[in-house]
Amino acid sequence: MSRRKRLKLGDIYEISLPNEKKKYARLFKEGTLAFYDGDYDDYAEVPEEEVYFRYICVYKDLLTDGIWKIVGNRPFSCDDEAWAPPKVVVDAITGKGSIYHKGKIKPCTFEECKDLEVAAVWDRNHVIDMLMGDTKWDVSISKPFC
């Protein structure tokens, strides 16, 4: 039985893709991975400048089962920096939107939330599909809140 890894903010995960390239992502609070922009052959190629193209929350087992290797750690300069940007939560029953940020939910208007990523937790196959350019798992806000 393999030993599960303990989560550490700032850990860098290496994600191997079907095209033999790799993506790298940094662990933020609440199981959110910030994906570095670009495809790489090795972690040494990832620029020191923190440039991400997407923030996605993933299931905890994806971070602890060892399939995605931890290849480094880039500590955050302060606790506040370890939070991902805001996301929108849309109530399935009422259609009302809210902003989710730093563990809190607050009401928002359609204009405030329309460009935010919809909050979701992704599984491994969804992440790999997204990294390969498939948008079938993406959710967007297509109409104003009621």
Side-chain angles (χ1 to χ4, degrees), residues 31 57-64 68 121-124 126:
C57 186
V58 299
Y59 289 107
K60 183 178 180 179
D61 65 304
L62 275 63
L63 303 172
T64 59
W68 292 347
V121 180
W122 294 49
D123 208 345
R124 192 178 323 274
H126 305 141

Side-chain angles (χ1 to χ4, degrees), residues 75-89:
F76 292 97
S77 62
C78 65
D79 184 65
D80 201 47
E81 188 183 287
W83 287 98
K87 293 191 181 259
V88 63
V89 178

Side-chain angles (χ1 to χ4, degrees), residues 86-104:
K87 293 191 181 259
V88 63
V89 178
V90 180
D91 185 285
I93 296 170
T94 66
K96 296 277 186 198
S98 301
I99 291 178
Y100 179 81
H101 192 224
K102 297 183 180 180
K104 296 184 177 144

